[in-house]
Structure formats: structure tokens, C-alpha cells
Amino acid sequence: MTDTVVSSARKEVVIGFDRPFCVIGERINPTGRKALSEEMRAGNYSRVEADAVAQVQAGAHMLDVNAGIPLTDEPAILAETVKLVQSLVDVPLSIDSSIVAALESGLSAYQGKALVNSVTGEEERLESVLPLVRKYGAAVVAISNDESGISEDPDVRFEVARKIVERAADHGIPASDIVVDPLVMPVGAVNLAGASVFRLIRRLREDLKVNTTCGASNISFGLPNRHGMNAAFLSMAVGAGMTSAIMNPLHAEEMAAVRGADVMMGRDPDCMRWIRSYREPAPQLAEVGGAGRRGREGRRRRRA
Amino acid sequence: MTDTVVSSARKEVVIGFDRPFCVIGERINPTGRKALSEEMRAGNYSRVEADAVAQVQAGAHMLDVNAGIPLTDEPAILAETVKLVQSLVDVPLSIDSSIVAALESGLSAYQGKALVNSVTGEEERLESVLPLVRKYGAAVVAISNDESGISEDPDVRFEVARKIVERAADHGIPASDIVVDPLVMPVGAVNLAGASVFRLIRRLREDLKVNTTCGASNISFGLPNRHGMNAAFLSMAVGAGMTSAIMNPLHAEEMAAVRGADVMMGRDPDCMRWIRSYREPAPQLAEVGGAGRRGREGRRRRRA
């Protein structure tokens, strides 16, 4: 029953074992997006603005914000992006960088309780990121790799996650403020990537009692019909106990997969969120003689 | 590790715990299909023929065949349909009727080891269907309801399934020839329908050691975006251990859900079936100077 609470100035979001799945929008990230990267480098944030609004409209509960553009002042750009995004949407943010100074700059600009993305099990990273998480009262994504890289052995990855949770406790950060990313490998390269991540998610939940997240689209890297594969993975990961993912909320199949999984897990009472997401457009009031009312009646019947 | 083996004259299909998920095409069924019903009544089987071929082309591993048309000679029509379908496609069939005489007529016309759809826990049904299953050496779908109807209590449904398995043993039918349908209720009406079916599937697998099936699309009855909901349900049901479903193979989202789930469970080595189902069309040989070869190389690289 672990709840990880994050917030913006105006909104609280809870990632939790019995909560609706938390979709963290991945789009505000210049990695692999050349146009966005060039624009951000030139101080043009119009695409960031559009991505922020579109992702929240599509159903993202949080947004990841990354400003990793080579040979720029990443700390300054990340802080600017965080401020801009917070002025446009009220969902909590995940502040994402591999540079500790950028994380600190982003955190100092942030209003609310952020999710820091990320700490790993590497000694140098643990001792630079965890004090920041503590200082700003944030939550943190813990990626289960360390100096030896990413192990293919789920037991090793579990032990790395345990090490991070224990070290965080030494810094005064409770396990409920840690969201473990068990690391999703491409199933085209590692055939048991799906099955072993599901087992790992269950163990992280039952033994370490932590929430989990992942970069979901990694699973389908290099394969055709990536949306279909991501959707199957996401539904099954929710079934195994995963509580959030960093993903693209603009993809309809993936969003249906996590919303449908919420329904299946009994986390969408009376399917109200599902119905709100997918119901047919309301009938036009301009239509003749009470069609509007019949329309509403019809919907009510279907919900019964 | 239970395997249920069914066959046509030329092809064997195994429904099993560690096998690829078995898709049983549901389309050859006049229930709720007015045009098909009228045509079959008039002796016109052109739609049956088209449905048989299309479903197998879309990836069905078996076909369900039902001839339930009111006020007709159902035993004769079912036998005729079985013969026709077996002349067109070589997948094994599920012979589907609520009338015992029609099941016998269908079985007598069938070449191979059929799946009989279905027996329930009702006394009269057990004592009329199980002898037929034994006589024809068939396998059988066991639906977990009885004289008292469909219980909302998963424990009661489990006990009905156990009763059918025990009674079948009395008739010399092994548990491996029984595929239990735990009964999927619409999640719009019964909010915990998904979660309770997943638990039931796990128990049927672990305690009774039987294969499972269901009418998958029931889950989304009355809700919008039924394909998205069915897909989430199917992937998660495979994750919980379900080994087959009676479903519409012509729906792309549902097929991607079960194929993707097979990949996730490690049952599609090197994702070969996934890739065969979804790879981009091969490059045109008419294209200039070796484009075809580059195209093939590209695909090979992605598979590595």
C-alpha cells in the first residue's frame, strides 16, 4: 500500500499500489528529437509549450522535462523549461537530467514536490543526487544499474534497487519517495525481457514495497508495430503491479492499454474514466425535439 | 504443463500452458448476425466460406462453428457447415451448440479430434454431453455455471469447474481434454469482472491444472472503444495464464494483444511470429540498384 506523493503548486498526484496508473509524458526531451533540440538551443520554446499542453490534454498525469542538449548551459535551459511548463500546465513534473547541476537548477526553479529523474546504484551518483532529493524534499526515480552496468540477471537488478533504497534511508529519504525503474530491455534482443521485468516488478512491490516506473517503449525497439507491442507490455506490466511509466500519451493504443488495465484491476469505478475518455461525442443540442435527452439516457443505460 | 491436443484430418493444434496462445475464431455463428442467419437458413453458405478463409488468414488457430438458427434442423445444418469448413481450411474446429443432438451430428461429420463447445455443470448436460465427448474422443469446453446459474463468487465457479473435471474423469475423459471457460462478465456491469477472472484463471491452472478459454469480447459489453478494452483484457488474461479464447481474429488490436502477450511470456522465440505478422511489405524488386537487398539487410539487422 505504498503511496508516492508528488505535486505542483496547485495539484497533487499519487503514484500508488491501488491508485490509477500514473502516465508520465515523455515528449519534452530533446534526445533524438532534432527539431526540438535546435529550437531549445536557439531559445525557441514553442514546441515545448505545444508538447506540454497536448500531453496533458491527452491524459498525462505528470510530465518529464529534459533539456539534454550537447554544448549548452543545460542547468539554465532546464530551469527555464521547468518554469515555462509550470506556467502552462498544473501537473507535477519529473525533472530529468544526467547532470547533477542541472537537476539542482531544475529543482530550485520548481514549485511543489518534484520527481527527480534519476539516481542509479553508482556510488558517485548516489552521493550527489540523494542529498539533492533530501534538500528539496523531492521523490526520485531509482534506476537499477550500477558501476557494472545493466545486469541481465533480475536478482542483481533487485539487489541494486535494494541498495538504493537503503542508501536513501541513510539520507533520510523514505522508500515511499523512491520509484524504481527495473530497466526494460528490447524484447527483440533479450527474449525474456518482458517476463523477467514482470517478475522483478512483483518482487519490488512485495519485498521492497516500492512504486515502479519504466521507459515503456524500449520494449519494442527495432520491431514492427511498436504501438501494439507497447500496449501489450503496458497492460501486462500493470497486471504485474507496475504503477507508472514514462511514455508517450499521444499514442492512443498505449493509453487504451493502461486505461483498460486500470479498469481490469478495479481501479476505475463504474468505468467512469474509461467512458469519459472514449464516449461518442455528445448529441448536438441544436437537433430536433429532445434528441439530446435521449442521447443522455442512452449513455446512462449503457453505464448501468 | 497441461497440453490439450485437438486436430483436423491434416493438422494438430496444442492448447497448452507453455504454448503460443490459441485463437479460436468466433465468426461462424449466426447468433446476432441476421444476414448470416438468413443465408444459412436458405442453404446459402457463401458467407460461412468467406468467414472461414478470412479468419484463418488473419491468424486463427482454430474455428468455432455454430449453426444455432431457430426453427431449423440444426443438427443437419451444423454437420453440413462442419464438412464445408473442413473442406476449405485445415485448422481444427470447435463444434458449438446448446443442442446435444446437434453436437453429435457435428461430431459424426468431423474429421479429427474436435473441441466440443460446451458442457456446463448442470446435471442433465453433464450426463448427455460427456458420453459424446468420450465416444468421439474429443476435447470439451467446460463452462463454470450450473443449475443455480452463473455465480458472481469466483470460489463457486471454481468448484463448478472442479465438479465437471471430476465427472469427466468418471467418464474416462482426462483433465487435459477439458478447457475451462471461467465466464467473463461485462466489466461495465460487474466492476471486478477482470480482476476476479484473472484470479480464477490462475487457480484453474495451478490447482486444477486445466487449460482455459473464454468469450473475450463479453468483457467490454456496453462500453465505448471495445477493441481497446478487449485488447487490455486479453493481454492481461494471458499474463494470468489463460491459454485460448474464442474471439474475432479480424480485429487487429485484439490480435496484437495476444501476439504481444506471447512475446512477453517468452513464447515467440526471436519474435519471429510477431515480425512475420507485422513487418513492412518487402521492397519492390523493380526498384533500382539493390534497394531490395538493402531492405532485406535492414530487416535482418532489426531482428538481431
Side-chain angles (χ1 to χ4, degrees):
Chain A
M1 288 285 290
T2 301
D3 278 350
T4 303
V5 181
V6 291
S7 63
S8 64
R10 293 181 298 280
K11 193 168 193 168
E12 193 174 274
V13 164
V14 183
I15 304 172
F17 287 7
D18 296 307
R19 305 279 180 165
F21 189 77
C22 180
V23 173
I24 305 171
E26 72 181 8
R27 295 287 290 163
I28 303 177
N29 188 333
T31 316
R33 294 185 70 190
K34 203 176 165 194
L36 179 64
S37 179
E38 292 307 319
E39 286 170 10
M40 287 174 79
R41 184 194 297 275
N44 170 3
Y45 291 88
S46 56
R47 201 178 295 257
V48 170
E49 292 176 11
D51 281 340
V53 172
Q55 290 184 100
V56 172
Q57 277 177 348
H61 306 102
M62 294 179 63
L63 297 183
D64 188 77
V65 174
N66 179 300
I69 307 154
L71 306 175
T72 58
D73 183 356
E74 186 177 328
I77 298 180
L78 187 55
E80 191 163 0
T81 309
V82 162
K83 279 185 207 159
L84 175 64
V85 173
Q86 286 212 293
S87 75
L88 292 167
V89 295
D90 62 2
V91 301
L93 303 186
S94 153
I95 297 175
D96 181 4
S97 179
S98 55
I99 295 171
V100 177
L103 291 178
E104 169 130 42
S105 170
L107 281 165
S108 67
Y110 186 75
Q111 292 194 293
K113 180 180 172 185
L115 181 65
V116 171
N117 188 3
S118 57
V119 70
T120 66
E122 295 160 291
E123 200 54 40
E124 175 273 336
R125 193 86 186 160
L126 285 167
E127 290 309 317
S128 54
V129 174
L130 293 178
L132 269 188
V133 171
R134 171 66 174 171
K135 176 179 171 189
Y136 287 92
V140 63
V141 174
I143 302 190
S144 49
N145 71 301
D146 61 11
E147 285 83 359
S148 60
I150 301 173
S151 173
E152 281 204 25
D153 181 346
D155 289 343
V156 173
R157 284 198 245 165
F158 180 83
E159 290 307 325
V160 174
R162 187 207 298 276
K163 178 173 90 171
I164 301 173
V165 168
E166 287 170 355
R167 189 67 65 86
D170 295 342
H171 285 269
I173 301 163
S176 61
D177 275 338
I178 298 172
V179 181
V180 173
D181 179 345
L183 280 165
V184 172
M185 309 298 289
V187 77
V190 180
N191 263 232
L192 291 176
S196 73
V197 159
F198 300 151
R199 269 196 299 276
L200 198 42
I201 289 169
R202 271 191 213 98
R203 254 190 102 189
L204 289 165
R205 182 183 177 112
E206 286 164 17
D207 298 350
L208 274 191
K209 305 195 190 316
V210 288
N211 281 301
T212 44
T213 196
C214 72
S217 62
N218 279 359
I219 195 77
S220 63
F221 182 78
L223 292 170
N225 189 12
R226 293 192 65 175
H227 298 313
M229 180 71 84
N230 295 344
F233 168 74
L234 280 163
S235 294
M236 296 173 80
V238 175
M242 193 169 69
T243 49
S244 71
I246 299 169
M247 56 185 278
N248 188 340
L250 306 180
H251 291 155
E253 281 177 71
E254 283 92 327
M255 287 301 280
V258 298
R259 287 180 178 135
D262 271 345
V263 171
M264 293 307 140
M265 302 299 278
R267 294 181 199 144
D268 183 359
D270 293 328
C271 305
M272 287 307 289
R273 277 178 290 122
W274 181 271
I275 291 167
R276 227 178 300 131
S277 301
Y278 298 112
R279 69 177 160 205
E280 308 81 61
Q284 295 298 311
L285 290 179
E287 275 175 18
V288 213
R293 224 175 109 215
R294 274 206 304 281
R296 245 175 285 132
E297 283 299 317
R299 277 207 305 282
R300 208 171 296 148
R301 255 204 310 281
R302 279 202 298 279
R303 284 177 205 178
Chain B
M1 287 289 289
T2 301
D3 277 350
T4 303
V5 181
V6 290
S7 64
S8 65
R10 293 181 300 279
K11 194 168 192 167
E12 193 175 275
V13 164
V14 184
I15 303 172
F17 287 6
D18 296 307
R19 306 279 180 165
F21 189 78
C22 180
V23 173
I24 307 171
E26 72 181 9
R27 295 286 291 162
I28 303 177
N29 188 332
T31 316
R33 293 185 71 192
K34 202 175 166 196
L36 179 65
S37 180
E38 292 307 317
E39 286 170 12
M40 287 174 79
R41 183 193 298 275
N44 169 5
Y45 290 87
S46 55
R47 202 179 295 257
V48 170
E49 294 176 10
D51 280 340
V53 173
Q55 289 185 101
V56 173
Q57 278 177 348
H61 307 103
M62 295 180 62
L63 297 183
D64 188 77
V65 175
N66 179 301
I69 306 155
L71 308 174
T72 59
D73 183 356
E74 185 176 328
I77 299 180
L78 187 56
E80 190 163 359
T81 309
V82 162
K83 278 186 207 156
L84 175 65
V85 173
Q86 286 213 294
S87 75
L88 292 167
V89 295
D90 62 3
V91 300
L93 303 187
S94 153
I95 296 174
D96 181 2
S97 179
S98 54
I99 296 171
V100 177
L103 291 178
E104 169 130 42
S105 170
L107 281 165
S108 68
Y110 186 76
Q111 293 195 293
K113 179 181 173 186
L115 181 64
V116 171
N117 187 4
S118 56
V119 69
T120 66
E122 296 159 290
E123 200 54 38
E124 175 273 334
R125 194 85 186 162
L126 286 166
E127 290 308 318
S128 55
V129 175
L130 292 178
L132 269 188
V133 172
R134 171 66 173 172
K135 175 178 171 191
Y136 287 92
V140 64
V141 174
I143 301 190
S144 49
N145 70 302
D146 62 11
E147 285 83 358
S148 59
I150 301 172
S151 173
E152 280 204 25
D153 180 348
D155 289 342
V156 172
R157 286 199 243 168
F158 180 83
E159 290 308 326
V160 174
R162 187 207 298 277
K163 177 173 91 171
I164 301 174
V165 168
E166 286 171 357
R167 189 68 64 86
D170 295 342
H171 285 269
I173 301 163
S176 61
D177 276 338
I178 299 173
V179 181
V180 173
D181 180 344
L183 282 165
V184 173
M185 310 298 288
V187 77
V190 181
N191 263 232
L192 290 175
S196 73
V197 158
F198 300 151
R199 269 197 299 275
L200 197 43
I201 289 170
R202 273 193 211 97
R203 253 190 104 189
L204 289 165
R205 182 184 178 112
E206 286 164 15
D207 297 351
L208 273 190
K209 304 193 192 319
V210 288
N211 281 302
T212 43
T213 197
C214 72
S217 61
N218 279 358
I219 195 79
S220 62
F221 182 78
L223 291 171
N225 190 11
R226 293 192 64 175
H227 298 313
M229 180 71 84
N230 295 344
F233 169 74
L234 280 163
S235 294
M236 294 173 81
V238 176
M242 193 169 70
T243 49
S244 71
I246 301 171
M247 54 185 277
N248 187 341
L250 306 180
H251 291 153
E253 281 178 70
E254 283 91 326
M255 288 300 280
V258 297
R259 286 178 179 137
D262 271 345
V263 171
M264 293 307 140
M265 301 298 279
R267 293 182 200 142
D268 183 0
D270 292 328
C271 307
M272 288 308 287
R273 278 177 291 122
W274 180 271
I275 290 167
R276 228 178 299 129
S277 301
Y278 299 111
R279 70 178 158 205
E280 307 81 66
Q284 296 299 311
L285 290 179
E287 276 176 16
V288 212
R293 228 177 104 213
R294 274 207 303 281
R296 244 175 285 135
E297 283 297 318
R299 277 208 304 282
R300 205 172 297 149
R301 258 204 309 281
R302 279 202 299 278
R303 283 177 207 180

